[in-house]
Each structure stands twice: as structure tokens, then as C-alpha cells.
Amino acid sequence: MTSVRNALTGTLWPLPTIVILLAVGLAVLLPHVDEALQRGGRESLALVFGGGPGAARTVLSAIATSLISVTTLLFSLTIVTLQLASSQYSPRLLQTFVRDRVVQVCLGELLATFVYALIVLRTVRSADESGAGAFVPRLSVSVAFVLALGGVAALVTFLSHQTRQLRVETMMRDVHKEAGAALGRLDERSEDGLPERRLPAVPPYARPVCFRKGGFLVDVREQRLLETLADAGAVLRLDRRHGDPVVAGTPVGWAWTDDAARDLPVDDLEDALASALVVHYERADTAGPSNGLRKLVDIAVRSLSPGINDPTTAVHALSHISALVGEAATRDVEHRLRCDEDGTQRLAVPAWDFPALLDLAVTQIRHYGHAESAAVARLFALLAEVGWRCRTSDQRRAVRHQRDLMVAQWLDDPPPGRTSEDVRRWNAAVDDALVGRWASVND
């Protein structure tokens, strides 16, 4: 189901295709309704369009011609938007644009109107073209009018929407929303598993288990894998998190039996892994916040590059990153251990825990923004804000580790316009936040 959901929500074509198919069905059905109304002498019920066959052809042809031109324009604008987002902010933002429902609905409405007008056009008959006499599907042409007006509304909506989407603030808001929704799904998944902060230790007799396909890990069908492990009396600890790359033919985890003397059915486990691990050619936002966090980090890093030089956008991205990592600190984003029916732990699935998310959020920006004073100050503020929301000693230890790396980088070589005293003040503000005292980095 996960792979099907990703295919339907992560591409541009499914919703427009559904709308076009509905238009085809409507275009085939309504002319028959028109014929039934005319044979029953109730043609007046459909007399919204009152022209003859020539007028009907002209109207339907004009609608089809104009709609396909507008659709071409919209596709061109969409490509331009994707190109700008990819080159200036992050190529991973294309994933967010493609699943935009407004774009899909607008394109679907315009294409559906074009297809509808073409199909209805073929049913119009003049008196000299058929022995059955003239036929004008008045109700169908009237519906084409309505759909054409909907196309105008779709065009205006699309243009208004795209002007908002081109703003980097809107892009970051959408990415933040996606990552927040992924965090919420982790809470739902924790109801059928046991979250743990520690993965089981790998015994010396454990054997690596390989995967036969390559890609990015999207999902783990845990129940299938659990049944195979229970039958084999084995334990499996995966070492790939959701979103991590998987290389075909290389190990993705360690497996061992309850009894060291018992043979481990490696081939059976690899067969089970082939159907239990869902991999895709790109990362998905469905399993955790790491992919959304990567997109925000990409935006910040691109903004700090000499070619773009937009530190304000980088600071704004760091605010979103701070909110996401802070939210992760208040949730049980932990490893999952699954047990069989007897209560024996059989499967360990690693997660993007708080230290990993914090490292992902800070490291690249710290490297590429080392000479931008606004970004450096915002990084220290991020650690203070996240530290304030930390709940466990492990989380606070991770914040202190990142803080120490930043102090070591900038204490003796502060960014332009700042001094070592500024770095010490920022350091103290992070320390205060970790113990429940708030001192703004900007003070």
C-alpha cells in the first residue's frame, strides 16, 4: 500500500487522469440523454443552447482550441516554476510541487474540458449529413459552456497560486507542513510497536543479511518480516533508516538466532526482506521528518552560496528547522522493536532519533555558513531553542555536542563583524536554555 500511495501522491498525472476519464464518460453519456429528451418531446428542458448544428460546431471547436492553448501555457509555467525551484533552492522541492493539489486540479479541469468538447463535437449532425436528420446535443453543449467557464476560473486560480508558490516563504511553509505531518504519522505507528532509545546489541555470531534491490528505503512491512523471523527463531536488526540509501547486494542489517548453535536461514531471510522492504528511486516524506529537514537544509545552504548570497532566506529556513527539530525533541521519535506472539523481540527498525536529526539540521549549514554572521547567530539561537524543549539527558548531550563543535569553529575565528566575546555569549545562552534559563542570543 505504501508504494501505491507514493506512486499516486508523488506524481502529477493520477488526478488529471481521473478527471479526464470522468469527462470522457460524461461526453459519451450526455448526448444519449439529449437524444432521449428530443424523442420524448421534452427538448425544451435542455434549451440552454439554442443554436443549430453549425453554431454548435463553432462553439465546441472554439472551446477545444482555446482550452488546449491555455493548457499549454499552464504546462509551460509549471515547468518554469519547477526549474526555478530546482536551480535556486533545492531539486528535492520538485517532489513538493508535483504533488500540489491545486496544480493537479487546474490541469485536470482544462484537459478534461478539451477532451469533453472534442467528444461531444463528433455527435453533432447536420440534416444533409445523415438520413436521421439534424441533431444538436443542446444539453451537452450547455455543459461545455459551464466547463469552459470553469476553465477560466482554473486559469485565474492557477496564476494566483503559482505567484504564491514562487515565494520561498511558501515553499518552506509547505515543506514544514509535510515534515510535521510525517512526525504525526510516527505517533500513529508507535501505537503498534515498542519505541526504544537503544537498539539490541549485535552478538559476535550474527551474520549480515543483504538486500537484492537498490534505492532509498521508503517503508518496512514489519508484519511479513516478523512472521518469517518467528518461524526461523531469529532476530533481525536493520541498520538502514527510512530515507537511507540501499545498495543492491550489500548488507542492510544483522541477523542471529536465539541459540548460537542453531543454523540461520539466511536465504529465507533475504527472500523475506525482498518483499518486506519497500525501496524507491527517491526519498519519501511518508515515514519521517528527515526528508523535509533535508529540503530546508538545502534551501539554507543554497542561500548561503556565493552564487545566490541570500542570508535572509537562510535565517528564515533555520527558523523552520528549529521548529521541526524542537518538535522532534518533544516526541518519541525512537527506534522500533517488534515482538512475536510469544513476546520475544524479533525485529529492530532504527529511526531518525533526535541526535541524528540535529546533526542533519546543523552540520552542513555550519560548514557552508561559517562566514555569514547572521547564519552563525541563528545557528546558536537554534540550539538554544531546541535545548529549551529537550526532555532527556541524551537530547541535551546531543545539543551540547553540536554547541561544542560550533564554539571550536568560531571562538578563535569568529565570523566577520563579530568577536570571540559574541561567541562566548551565544555559548552561554545555549547553556542557560539547557538548564531552563532563557537568555536570548540577540541580547
Side-chain angles (χ1 to χ4, degrees), residues 203-225:
Y205 58 88
R207 296 181 60 183
V209 182
C210 299
F211 192 61
R212 298 166 183 168
K213 295 185 293 184
F216 293 99
L217 183 59
V218 173
D219 195 20
V220 180
R221 295 166 179 161
E222 297 174 357
Q223 192 58 39
R224 295 185 184 183
L225 202 51

Side-chain angles (χ1 to χ4, degrees), residues 186-411:
L186 287 180
D187 291 341
E188 297 174 2
R189 289 171 63 92
S190 65
E191 296 176 359
D192 61 353
L194 179 64
E196 285 287 345
R197 293 192 179 93
R198 297 285 184 269
L199 291 168
V202 178
Y205 58 88
R207 296 181 60 183
V209 182
C210 299
F211 192 61
R212 298 166 183 168
K213 295 185 293 184
F216 293 99
L217 183 59
V218 173
D219 195 20
V220 180
R221 295 166 179 161
E222 297 174 357
Q223 192 58 39
R224 295 185 184 183
L225 202 51
L226 197 61
E227 294 171 359
T228 302
L229 291 169
D231 293 339
V235 180
L236 174 65
R237 169 179 160 171
L238 295 175
D239 66 359
R240 294 292 189 275
R241 301 164 297 195
H242 289 88
D244 279 343
V246 177
V247 179
T250 61
V252 294
W254 295 90
W256 62 91
T257 56
D258 300 332
D259 183 0
R262 183 176 178 180
D263 290 335
L264 180 70
V266 176
D267 291 339
D268 293 341
L269 291 181
E270 291 183 351
D271 289 339
L273 278 174
S275 59
L277 299 189
V278 180
V279 297
H280 201 243
Y281 68 90
E282 65 177 347
R283 295 181 174 93
D285 294 313
T286 56
S290 62
N291 196 31
L293 200 55
R294 287 181 192 275
K295 295 176 185 178
L296 291 171
V297 170
D298 280 353
I299 293 174
V301 170
R302 289 287 185 95
S303 301
L304 293 170
S305 66
I308 297 177
N309 195 23
D310 184 11
T312 301
T313 295
V315 170
H316 195 172
L318 281 166
S319 297
H320 286 279
I321 293 170
S322 176
L324 276 176
V325 179
E327 189 174 355
T330 64
R331 296 172 178 262
D332 294 324
V333 186
E334 298 169 339
H335 313 298
R336 286 169 53 79
L337 302 183
R338 294 297 305 274
C339 302
D340 59 17
E341 295 179 355
D342 298 330
T344 303
Q345 291 183 1
R346 295 293 180 191
L347 177 63
V349 181
W352 283 89
D353 53 12
F354 177 81
L357 289 174
L358 184 61
D359 183 73
L360 176 64
V362 171
T363 301
Q364 289 187 14
I365 302 176
R366 186 183 73 235
H367 174 72
Y368 290 104
H370 64 92
E372 177 52 56
S373 59
V376 174
R378 191 64 189 89
L379 276 172
F380 277 101
L382 180 151
L383 291 183
E385 292 159 356
V386 171
W388 179 268
R389 303 182 71 178
C390 286
R391 299 183 304 168
T392 67
S393 58
D394 287 343
Q395 292 175 348
R396 297 185 183 92
R397 190 179 303 113
V399 173
R400 290 191 181 96
H401 173 67
Q402 295 296 335
R403 186 274 319 273
D404 292 343
L405 292 175
M406 290 164 58
V407 170
Q409 179 173 350
W410 284 302
L411 185 60

Side-chain angles (χ1 to χ4, degrees), residues 129-152:
E129 294 176 346
S130 173
F135 173 68
V136 179
R138 303 187 186 281
L139 178 60
S140 302
V141 176
S142 301
V143 171
F145 268 119
V146 175
L147 292 177
L149 293 176
V152 175

